[in-house]
Amino acid sequence: MELLQLLSWMCILFTVGMFSTGLTDLRKMRATKSADNVQFLPFLTTCLNNLGWLYYGMLKRDGTLVLVNTIGALLQFLYITSYLYYSKHKVTTPPVTPTRLQASQNQLRRVYFQMLCASAVLAAGCVYFAVLLPPGESRLDQLGLTCSLVTVSMYMSPLTDLVGIIRSRNLECLSFSLTVATFLTSTSWVLYGHQLNDYYIMVPNTPGIFTSVIRLFLFWSFSPSNQNQSVPSFKLIQI
């Protein structure tokens, strides 16, 4: 098996695995019949990112990009649909108190507004890249640059949360499985992009390795075993 083909399979396996971590939120919504404590915006932004890379893969005729992002987009559609269903389900499930009804309605308005903005961005992107830009390298380069910037921003956005985690030493909001999946996915795409000499694939996935290493270091630093080691095994005698 050639190295490029091996890296292609690694990209497909690790990326689909990373996208599948959203199934945990899906099971949580099904179990509680509610979308509480589940973030909607990551589903929406990941879906837009998948659609952008899907178009890039189609223009470049890269089967790996097309397959991975088709699966990713379908999974995000599933998560989005489930979130909307269980958000509406909460509004109609008794007891419907005025406070609960108002909170649920505000949540739905915020979600619909985010979907409206995402739809406007998607429509503007379709018009610009598919209609205004002429076919050829210019369209491919500008689309690759745009997808790269979006991917970098998605990888770098958790850094603000990491500051709070370092201060509180609380790892509850971090997922170890997602961190490992992100590290493996980013590494495989960097190697795949390097083999293709495609900097639009290689460069934006590099921050994913960087942020994953930071999170893995936090898991190691703030694990109970390491924290216990930092505490002396003897008691100081007070004089």
Side-chain angles (χ1 to χ4, degrees):
M1 182 182 294
E2 296 181 358
L3 178 59
L4 183 61
Q5 185 179 1
L6 175 62
L7 291 174
S8 173
W9 282 109
M10 289 174 60
C11 289
I12 294 172
L13 177 65
F14 293 145
T15 309
V16 172
M18 184 179 69
F19 291 150
S20 298
T21 56
L23 294 173
T24 303
D25 290 329
L26 182 60
R27 286 194 293 267
K28 184 191 301 182
M29 288 187 287
R30 291 185 61 184
T32 61
K33 305 298 181 182
S34 171
D36 291 344
N37 301 320
V38 175
Q39 295 183 346
F40 174 77
L41 193 57
F43 297 150
L44 191 60
T45 54
T46 304
C47 184
L48 286 177
N49 194 43
N50 287 146
L51 293 175
W53 282 113
L54 174 59
Y55 187 38
Y56 180 81
M58 292 171 63
L59 291 180
K60 198 173 180 179
R61 297 181 180 179
D62 189 310
T64 303
L65 282 171
V66 171
L67 177 60
V68 164
N69 288 285
T70 298
I71 296 174
L74 291 175
L75 284 174
Q76 303 312 316
F77 279 130
L78 173 63
Y79 302 150
I80 290 171
T81 304
S82 301
Y83 187 97
L84 293 175
Y85 173 78
Y86 288 112
S87 294
K88 293 180 180 179
H89 183 270
K90 180 181 177 181
V91 177
T92 58
T93 302
V96 183
T97 63
T99 303
R100 180 185 179 189
L101 180 61
Q102 183 64 37
S104 300
Q105 290 176 342
N106 291 337
Q107 181 183 7
L108 281 174
R109 290 193 191 99
R110 183 167 58 252
V111 167
Y112 288 143
F113 178 74
Q114 292 172 349
M115 291 183 62
L116 180 62
C117 292
S119 299
V121 170
L122 182 61
C126 290
V127 171
Y128 180 72
F129 289 109
V131 179
L132 298 181
L133 283 180
E137 290 298 322
S138 176
R139 176 185 293 179
L140 189 65
D141 288 340
Q142 292 198 36
L143 179 60
L145 179 60
T146 302
C147 292
S148 298
L149 292 175
V150 173
T151 302
V152 169
S153 64
M154 291 180 63
Y155 278 135
M156 300 301 289
S157 58
L159 286 180
T160 54
D161 297 330
L162 294 182
V163 176
I165 293 172
I166 294 173
R167 290 175 178 174
S168 64
R169 295 176 174 266
N170 186 358
L171 300 174
E172 291 182 357
C173 60
L174 281 184
S175 170
F176 182 77
S177 59
L178 179 59
T179 300
V180 174
T182 303
F183 175 78
L184 295 174
T185 300
S186 302
T187 303
S188 60
W189 280 113
V190 168
L191 295 174
Y192 181 76
H194 182 265
Q195 286 295 310
L196 294 178
N197 199 27
D198 189 331
Y199 290 98
Y200 296 127
I201 297 176
M202 183 171 58
V203 173
N205 285 284
T206 303
I209 301 176
F210 173 70
T211 56
S212 297
V213 168
I214 293 178
R215 283 182 284 182
L216 288 172
F217 177 75
L218 292 179
F219 276 111
W220 176 80
S221 300
F222 298 152
S223 63
S225 58
N226 286 330
Q227 288 184 349
N228 290 336
Q229 290 176 4
S230 63
V231 179
S233 58
F234 57 88
K235 294 182 179 180
L236 296 177
I237 301 176
Q238 297 181 353
I239 300 177

